[in-house]
Amino acid sequence: RLAIHASDKVIMTGTPMPQSEGDLVSQYNAIYPENPIMDEYEAVERFKPIFVRTPKSRLQLPELIINDPIKVDMNPVQGEIYQLLIGEICNLYSELNLSSRSYLRDLGKPILRLLMFLSNPSLVKDYLMEKEPRLASSLIEEGYGPKVEKACELARELVAKGEKVLIWSSFRDNVEIVADLLDDLGSEYIHGGVKTGNEEDIFYREGKIKKFKEDKNTNILVANPATAGEGISLHMVCHNAIYIDRTFNAAQYIQSQDRIHRIGLPPDQKTNIHLIQ
């Protein structure tokens, strides 16, 4: 209702239509209230003449260094169980039916389980106890697996050099496990179970972020890309991100990189991405 009184109007957005063309309707109608969109399918065509995008390449940011992957070997029992999990996927794949949604959902479950297992074998211990109790017991004795161990080792090396470190894992339990393992370095974590709220309260997401930014004794932030991959800026205090695992969601991976590689960095600042495979 205020739009009719303004002679000039600009709408700034991150993702202008995150769900559908319908997301553009209210934006367009705020700019042109005298000629509103009544049909959401018109929205894209109406926007084309007035839409301008600034790509990241035009921001003249310093280099983002994606280091060669750090490769680790599976522990013995982990390697044995890996072959079993691969076998499950191969059996499902042999019955491939791309026209069946239920089939594709069924195929997704063991693939996600495999990603969890490679990230931290303990994440699937309950499933394995039902399938292979003997191997599962031996697996638990091997600990949290080489990827978590390497991530913690690298984080400790970076903190010893005076750096703050952002660690990413796609799995909620893993986020808490890694934060607990690095508690002596001053660690906080963010995942979907951490509510948004007062930045003065460390039990809320905003409070944890503020503490990571401002407290010199809080050196580690462990986060889930699905929750913290957008909407937070850590680039002024943190220049190292470690990825324990990644999913097939490329957008979350790219957006999570942008938490520490954003406009405002000095031209000589190096930002490092560390991938563990």
Side-chain angles (χ1 to χ4, degrees), residues 18-214:
Q19 302 296 333
S20 70
E21 291 89 342
D23 295 328
L24 297 176
V25 171
S26 60
Q27 299 169 53
Y28 187 89
N29 291 346
I31 299 176
Y32 294 114
E34 71 281 0
N35 185 26
I37 295 176
M38 309 307 290
D39 180 355
E40 68 178 54
Y41 299 106
E42 295 178 27
V44 173
E45 292 304 315
R46 292 271 197 101
F47 253 98
K48 283 180 180 177
I50 59 171
F51 175 74
V52 178
R53 179 175 181 266
T54 304
K56 191 176 178 182
S57 59
R58 290 183 58 191
L59 300 180
Q60 298 182 319
L61 298 180
E63 181 184 6
L64 176 67
I65 302 168
I66 301 180
N67 293 277
D68 290 338
I70 301 168
K71 297 189 177 181
V72 295
D73 293 324
M74 282 185 263
N75 292 329
V77 178
Q78 185 185 13
E80 190 173 347
I81 296 175
Y82 173 76
Q83 296 301 325
L84 296 175
L85 296 178
I86 286 290
E88 288 184 3
I89 295 171
C90 290
N91 288 338
L92 274 171
Y93 187 75
S94 66
E95 303 166 10
L96 183 63
N97 179 5
L98 291 176
S99 63
S100 169
R101 289 190 177 186
S102 62
Y103 168 78
L104 291 172
R105 280 195 295 269
D106 290 343
L107 184 61
K109 292 173 186 175
I111 290 175
L112 180 62
R113 189 181 300 122
L114 184 65
L115 292 176
M116 294 174 69
F117 173 76
L118 292 173
S119 177
N120 179 346
S122 73
L123 299 178
V124 295
K125 65 179 184 296
D126 292 340
Y127 173 80
L128 293 173
M129 286 298 289
E130 294 181 9
K131 294 285 185 178
E132 296 285 342
R134 180 187 61 81
L135 285 175
S137 298
S138 300
L139 182 72
I140 292 169
E141 294 176 6
E142 286 187 340
Y144 295 123
K147 296 185 83 176
V148 168
E149 291 172 3
K150 177 56 73 173
C152 291
E153 177 188 325
L154 177 56
R156 291 184 181 281
E157 291 174 3
L158 291 168
V159 171
K161 296 176 182 176
E163 302 278 350
K164 287 185 181 253
V165 183
L166 178 59
I167 302 176
W168 294 104
S169 176
S170 303
F171 307 110
R172 176 172 169 166
D173 288 347
N174 214 25
V175 168
E176 294 191 22
I177 287 168
V178 174
D180 186 58
L181 290 171
L182 296 172
D183 180 64
D184 59 300
L185 298 180
S187 61
E188 290 292 340
Y189 67 81
I190 296 174
H191 55 49
V194 179
K195 296 181 180 179
T196 60
N198 188 346
E199 69 172 14
E200 301 303 324
D201 189 334
I202 62 166
F203 290 103
Y204 289 107
R205 192 177 307 176
E206 290 80 0
K208 291 173 179 287
I209 293 168
K210 182 179 181 183
K211 186 182 177 188
F212 179 66
K213 287 181 177 180
E214 298 179 0

